[in-house]
Amino acid sequence: MPQHGDTARVDVEALRDLLDGRWAAVRRRARDILRGPEFTPRYGLSVAEHRARVTEQLHALARTDLARYGFDPRYGGRGEVGASVAAFEMLVCDLSLMVKMGVQWGLFGGAIQALGTEYHHATYLPGVMSLEIPGCFAMTETGHGSDVQRLRTTATFDPNTDEFVVHTPDEAARKDYIGNAARDGRLAVVFAQLITGGQRHGVHALLVPIRDADGTVLPGIRIEDCGPKAGLNGVDNGRIWFTQVRVPRTALLNRYGDVAADGTYSSPIENPNRRFFTMLGTLVRGRISVAGGAGMAAKTALAIAIRYGQVRRQFLRPGSDSEVALLDYLAYQRRLLPALARTYALHFAQEEMVSRLHDGFTDGPLDERAQRELEAHAAGLKAVATWHAVDTIQTCREACGGAGYLAENRLPQLRADTDVFTTFEGDNTVLLQLVGKSLLTNYRQEFGNLDPLGMAKFAAGQFLGTVIERTAARSLLDRLVQAAPGRGDEDDLRNREWQRALLADRENHVLEGLARRLRAAPADADPFDVVNNVQDHVLLAARAHVDRLVFEAFASGVARIEDEGTRAVVERLCDLAALSLVEQERAWFLEHGRLTPARAKAVTATVNALCQELRPHARDLVDAFGLNDEWLAAPIALGAETARQDQQARARVPVGAET
Ligand SMILES: Cc1cc2nc3c(=O)[nH]c(=O)nc-3n(C[C@H](O)[C@H](O)[C@H](O)COP(=O)(O)OP(=O)(O)OC[C@H]3O[C@@H](n4cnc5c(N)ncnc54)[C@H](O)[C@@H]3O)c2cc1C
């Protein structure tokens, strides 16, 4: 409970404006557009009805500027990449619509823009934006999902006809899970091994028509519906096979690799590995969007559960005839409020990430190192944000009891829809490995064709070199970390610098340990074993890194809050984000002597205290997310429970005498 004289209180509108951030106008616009029965969440639709509804909604969006933000102004776009991500996030009224939009204007349109050249932009982008050309992003194959470098679809150049022949050589090479394929897609960006003059040049993307204007599947193309899924059933995912399908040479999205009429291959990037990763890197927006979409789903679930927990009552308060509101129970607060704190932290991290993405696009290309760093951060944030959303939505579902299980209250659908966010746009475990590897070195281009062991040792060497350079900074950190334990004062657990130092120290320590282990491997060791034996360590390093980044983003977000009362509340939320993480990871901190047992117990006590201090502000903190009531849609979040209790009170039925 707030202490006497406590000035902490939330100015909801001011906080909403702050959270709306750099693309506040886009978020406000989305709140206006996504209104009325057309966009109200619906449940109980058949797969066919749901798909039809989402397609209609997408056509409605195509008539607004939400469709145009991410595209080049020369072709009718707005050139606002950051705005396109913000618009995507706002489609929380139905995550199928969010994903379908992401496929059309993010993945499909985004790939044409990023990998194509002027001819492709002028020819296709206007139709992509208007939805005259519904499309697919056909990368994944049945045999290869995470390891896309080994896709098996081929695109073989035939100089006699000036065409590519796109072919599915075997069942492993069929395109699988492809959004927009089963029903609506007419054109697909197809990723295939490019072959010319008998030589392979690695994975490239080509535009391949799959249906005609009437929606009839074209000759040489076979499409199969993936059928009902656990969630996202408004999206028509399908499988595609190509049998010697011929497309003109101009179908190749040729920004990073081209084939001349005589079949000669050329590319501005000589090293095939670098070329491949550069091409993939240009598609980073998809991952960032998914992280933001997951964040909005978590916010929606929290808004429903906290509104409900505030009014729902269970069990009499001893010595009184009134029942206790769920949100007054410490155990209840502990389930929802640390999740709320982390949701805020991830929000600020997402905002920073989108800004960096946007500036990278707007102010000219980032240098290679900055681009790699952006990709690694995006991968890490996508992984932690989507896992957080899945966990949080489940927690919220349980926190609403039986009512949380009813479709009308949205939580089951949110849970089912976000589940796969952990898998698509890069499986989370695989993404965290990318983060871990990139932390060891920022010099990936120097790897050339080193084998995995050579690469690991090179990376470890680079990393240890930079550790030595950082010794001065380290000793400061050490002093900070070691100064705190044992003093037992709750105030210094709430010290932002101490929290920062603790998380940074964990990140450094885990990384240094990893680098040493890699470095210590004997020269004749099996390269696979060396890397595989430290896989858990790589994942931990990535987690520790992302945890620190997310915390830093939250801390700098808090510092931007001008209203004193609001800042006082959000400061506590930031403390809760930091300390609930420390509590969750306390085994590591204890094992490594970073916390004494007494200090670890003090962390738990402070988490409890923070939960109770934040309880009166919980409703304001979710209201500041700015979610339209009609998106929440859940009767339990919109007064049904209060109305029931009022009715009971009016009938003067004593508590406990209803049956
Ligand atoms: C609903 C839905 C929509 C999709 N939409 C599209 C789309 O529009 N376009 C498109 O191209 N693709 C799409 N996908 C495909 C999606 O991107 C892939 O499913 C994803 O990349 C994972 O690939 P996979 O399914 O082959 O899993 P796998 O790569 O086989 O992974 C399976 C498991 O193995 C683990 N694993 C893999 N490699 C390692 C490793 N090195 N170390 C440790 N563990 C490992 C992973 O963590 C995972 O848990 C979609 C998928 C779904 C389900």
Side-chain angles (χ1 to χ4, degrees):
M1 287 290 151
Q3 288 130 25
H4 185 65
D6 189 353
T7 55
R9 57 188 43 82
V10 178
D11 177 338
V12 174
E13 285 202 4
L15 185 55
R16 181 185 312 149
D17 287 346
L18 181 92
L19 294 178
D20 278 356
R22 187 167 168 187
W23 285 281
V26 175
R27 295 186 199 278
R28 283 196 293 269
R29 178 109 181 87
R31 287 186 191 113
D32 279 346
I33 291 173
L34 302 167
R35 284 193 184 283
E38 191 177 10
F39 291 104
T40 305
R42 294 264 301 274
Y43 57 92
L45 298 175
S46 68
V47 169
E49 288 165 343
H50 197 177
R51 286 178 178 180
R53 181 170 197 245
V54 166
T55 302
E56 266 175 41
Q57 291 171 326
L58 199 68
H59 277 284
L61 293 185
R63 294 188 286 275
T64 72
D65 34 5
L66 262 57
R68 303 186 167 267
Y69 288 131
F71 293 101
D72 192 326
R74 279 175 295 178
Y75 310 105
R78 300 277 181 276
E80 282 271 340
V81 174
S84 73
V85 179
F88 171 90
E89 289 174 8
M90 296 305 282
L91 293 175
V92 77
C93 55
D94 184 345
L95 300 195
S96 284
L97 177 60
M98 183 190 275
V99 169
K100 185 108 167 166
M101 181 212 203
V103 169
Q104 174 68 19
W105 294 314
L107 292 175
F108 168 62
I112 296 175
Q113 180 157 281
L115 302 177
T117 48
E118 207 175 329
Y119 160 76
H120 306 104
H121 299 161
T123 311
Y124 297 105
L125 290 185
V128 170
M129 286 180 266
S130 69
L131 210 50
E132 275 159 60
I133 312 176
C136 309
F137 177 87
M139 180 182 269
T140 304
E141 295 175 357
T142 306
H144 292 95
S146 299
D147 185 5
V148 280
Q149 213 168 356
R150 281 177 186 70
L151 298 180
R152 296 174 57 79
T153 302
T154 50
T156 310
F157 184 63
D158 177 355
N160 299 319
T161 59
D162 204 28
E163 289 171 320
F164 284 101
V165 182
V166 179
H167 187 62
T168 306
D170 51 48
E171 281 303 286
R174 70 178 187 188
K175 295 294 176 185
D176 215 340
Y177 316 107
I178 307 304
N180 250 354
R183 181 186 187 269
D184 292 333
R186 306 247 169 94
L187 185 66
V189 170
V190 176
F191 289 81
Q193 301 289 348
L194 191 146
I195 304 169
T196 173
Q199 260 208 313
R200 286 179 170 252
H201 294 279
V203 174
H204 288 65
L206 299 96
L207 286 166
V208 183
I210 57 172
R211 287 190 179 84
D212 66 16
D214 301 329
T216 307
V217 175
L218 291 169
I221 308 283
R222 179 152 75 92
I223 298 180
E224 191 177 274
D225 198 323
C226 284
K229 305 183 292 286
L232 297 179
N233 276 309
V235 185
D236 51 321
N237 295 87
R239 307 184 177 107
I240 314 175
W241 291 257
F242 305 92
T243 306
Q244 311 286 351
V245 174
R246 289 184 168 264
V247 291
R249 186 162 55 94
T250 50
L252 177 67
L253 296 176
N254 58 346
R255 178 166 166 203
Y256 294 106
D258 205 359
V259 174
D262 66 357
T264 313
Y265 178 81
S266 62
S267 168
I269 306 174
E270 213 166 298
N271 181 315
N273 249 356
R274 270 188 65 206
R275 186 188 312 133
F276 175 73
F277 285 112
T278 302
M279 285 167 68
L280 282 194
T282 62
L283 307 175
V284 68
R285 176 172 47 152
R287 261 172 210 166
I288 297 176
S289 301
V290 167
M296 282 297 272
K299 288 173 192 168
T300 305
L302 283 163
I304 293 170
I306 285 175
R307 282 175 175 218
Y308 183 61
Q310 199 182 23
V311 295
R312 172 78 177 166
R313 294 172 182 277
Q314 275 312 278
F315 297 103
L316 277 179
R317 187 181 292 271
S320 102
D321 62 356
S322 67
E323 293 173 294
V324 179
L326 296 181
L327 203 50
D328 286 336
Y329 289 109
L330 176 65
Y332 202 84
Q333 294 161 7
R334 270 197 154 263
R335 287 153 81 189
L336 295 183
L337 300 185
L340 178 64
R342 188 149 173 83
T343 302
Y344 262 77
L346 286 163
H347 173 96
F348 286 107
Q350 172 74 7
E351 171 86 4
E352 268 185 14
M353 173 64 57
V354 176
S355 258
R356 283 174 63 192
L357 172 79
H358 179 86
D359 294 341
F361 264 78
T362 315
D363 307 340
L366 296 171
D367 67 41
E368 182 144 359
R369 194 179 173 129
Q371 174 68 24
R372 295 281 172 261
E373 198 180 273
L374 175 78
E375 289 163 23
H377 286 184
L381 193 59
K382 186 268 180 187
V384 300
T386 56
W387 270 326
H388 170 72
V390 167
D391 291 347
T392 299
I393 294 166
Q394 175 65 20
T395 299
C396 291
R397 205 297 292 150
E398 291 177 31
C400 294
Y405 197 62
L406 301 185
E408 66 172 14
N409 287 321
R410 282 217 74 190
L411 294 165
Q413 191 66 57
L414 284 173
R415 192 181 53 170
D417 289 344
T418 46
D419 186 329
V420 77
F421 281 34
T422 62
T423 297
F424 63 26
E425 276 295 334
D427 170 85
N428 282 359
T429 302
V430 174
L431 290 183
L432 281 190
Q433 289 178 57
L434 292 181
V435 178
K437 284 178 191 159
S438 83
L439 285 175
L440 287 164
T441 178
N442 281 317
Y443 302 92
R444 194 192 305 185
Q445 68 272 27
E446 292 177 29
F447 288 166
N449 292 321
L450 282 184
D451 62 24
L453 179 59
M455 189 175 95
K457 286 186 165 242
F458 174 82
Q462 291 288 345
F463 177 73
L464 286 175
T466 60
V467 167
I468 291 161
E469 286 162 26
R470 282 204 314 255
T471 329
R474 273 300 314 277
S475 61
L476 174 67
L477 282 176
D478 286 346
R479 269 187 281 126
L480 264 168
V481 171
Q482 282 156 18
R487 280 168 50 190
D489 180 1
E490 197 190 284
D491 280 351
D492 57 44
L493 290 178
R494 298 186 187 213
N495 178 308
R496 197 70 71 236
E497 285 315 308
W498 178 76
Q499 295 163 356
R500 198 190 308 273
L502 195 68
L503 295 180
D505 173 69
R506 170 169 164 255
E507 176 189 2
N508 282 329
H509 185 89
V510 173
L511 256 176
E512 283 169 27
L514 174 61
R516 288 211 175 83
R517 282 178 72 187
L518 287 169
R519 204 74 183 148
D524 59 350
D526 178 329
F528 172 79
D529 287 342
V530 172
V531 178
N532 199 39
N533 290 345
V534 295
Q535 217 177 23
D536 58 332
H537 207 146
V538 172
L539 295 178
L540 179 63
R543 275 268 188 181
H545 174 67
V546 181
D547 284 344
R548 200 258 309 157
L549 283 180
V550 169
F551 167 78
E552 300 263 14
F554 195 179
S556 62
V558 177
R560 293 201 301 274
I561 300 176
E562 285 169 9
D563 177 67
E564 226 175 277
T566 306
R567 195 172 57 244
V569 175
V570 184
E571 290 276 12
R572 287 174 199 176
L573 202 62
C574 189
D575 287 333
L576 182 58
L579 295 180
S580 56
L581 175 65
V582 173
E583 186 186 42
Q584 182 193 305
E585 301 296 320
R586 66 184 177 276
W588 188 93
F589 289 110
L590 284 162
E591 272 175 5
H592 293 81
R594 264 53 179 185
L595 287 180
T596 60
R599 190 80 172 159
K601 286 180 189 163
V603 168
T604 294
T606 309
V607 168
N608 284 347
L610 284 165
C611 282
Q612 287 172 326
E613 288 167 35
L614 285 163
R615 186 264 179 259
H617 308 290
R619 172 67 192 259
D620 288 343
L621 288 167
V622 291
D623 283 355
F625 290 146
L627 299 160
N628 287 354
D629 274 0
E630 53 193 310
W631 301 344
L632 299 182
I636 55 168
L638 300 175
E641 176 64 15
T642 314
R644 187 193 62 72
Q645 288 178 28
D646 288 350
Q647 191 186 32
Q648 180 178 310
R650 274 197 306 276
R652 297 186 190 284
V653 179
V655 171
E658 297 90 342
T659 49

